[in-house]
Amino acid sequence: MSDWRQQEVENETRSREINEWIDESNESSAEGSSPFVCECSDGECTSTIHLTHVEYEEVRAHGTHFAIAIDHESPDLDLMVSERVGFAIIRKLPGFPARLANDSDPRRV
Ligand SMILES: [Zn+2]
């Protein structure tokens, strides 16, 4: 396992924690879409994506899925799941990226 790849996955899991917090504070106003932070592997990325609560839940239902801005996927780590209006859903490649993503899944019980 190379360090930069682990670092990139950690960038994504950190964004996911921020978004979990955003989603919780949004729960009362579930109408329309809300701004979330891009969950790509670039630690410097400051892009904002807009998802409805339902779309966000759809991504979060899988420990290995992340919502990112268009064209922010990293071919070494990510597999495109679906491209939507204004954002894309990716999942971590099998092996250590998926394992790290699952291990840090805030929804895991
Ligand atoms: Zn990004």
Side-chain angles (χ1 to χ4, degrees):
M1 182 194 297
S2 61
D3 284 340
W4 69 268
R5 293 212 304 176
Q6 178 162 6
Q7 184 61 49
E8 291 205 341
V9 176
E10 282 169 3
N11 289 337
E12 293 171 302
T13 59
R14 193 163 49 235
S15 305
R16 175 168 61 185
E17 278 165 26
I18 295 170
N19 283 342
E20 283 289 89
W21 183 83
I22 292 173
D23 188 55
E24 274 170 33
S25 31
N26 281 344
E27 211 103 49
S28 49
S29 56
E31 304 271 307
S33 60
S34 307
F36 290 91
V37 297
C38 176
E39 297 177 347
C40 76
S41 54
D42 180 359
E44 309 280 290
C45 177
T46 54
S47 293
T48 304
I49 51 177
H50 287 80
L51 281 76
T52 66
H53 179 67
V54 172
E55 287 169 330
Y56 181 77
E57 286 298 322
E58 188 187 332
V59 178
R60 241 1 29 105
H62 307 272
T64 54
H65 288 200
F66 292 84
I68 61 167
I70 303 293
D71 291 333
H72 281 215
E73 72 268 19
S74 165
D76 291 320
L77 300 168
D78 304 331
L79 207 63
M80 182 67 72
V81 174
S82 81
E83 202 163 315
R84 306 293 174 84
V85 181
F87 72 98
I89 300 172
I90 54 100
R91 75 177 164 86
K92 295 290 108 190
L93 290 172
F96 95 86
R99 207 159 52 235
L100 270 181
N102 267 325
D103 285 349
S104 60
D105 183 2
R107 300 284 179 97
R108 205 165 67 138
V109 282

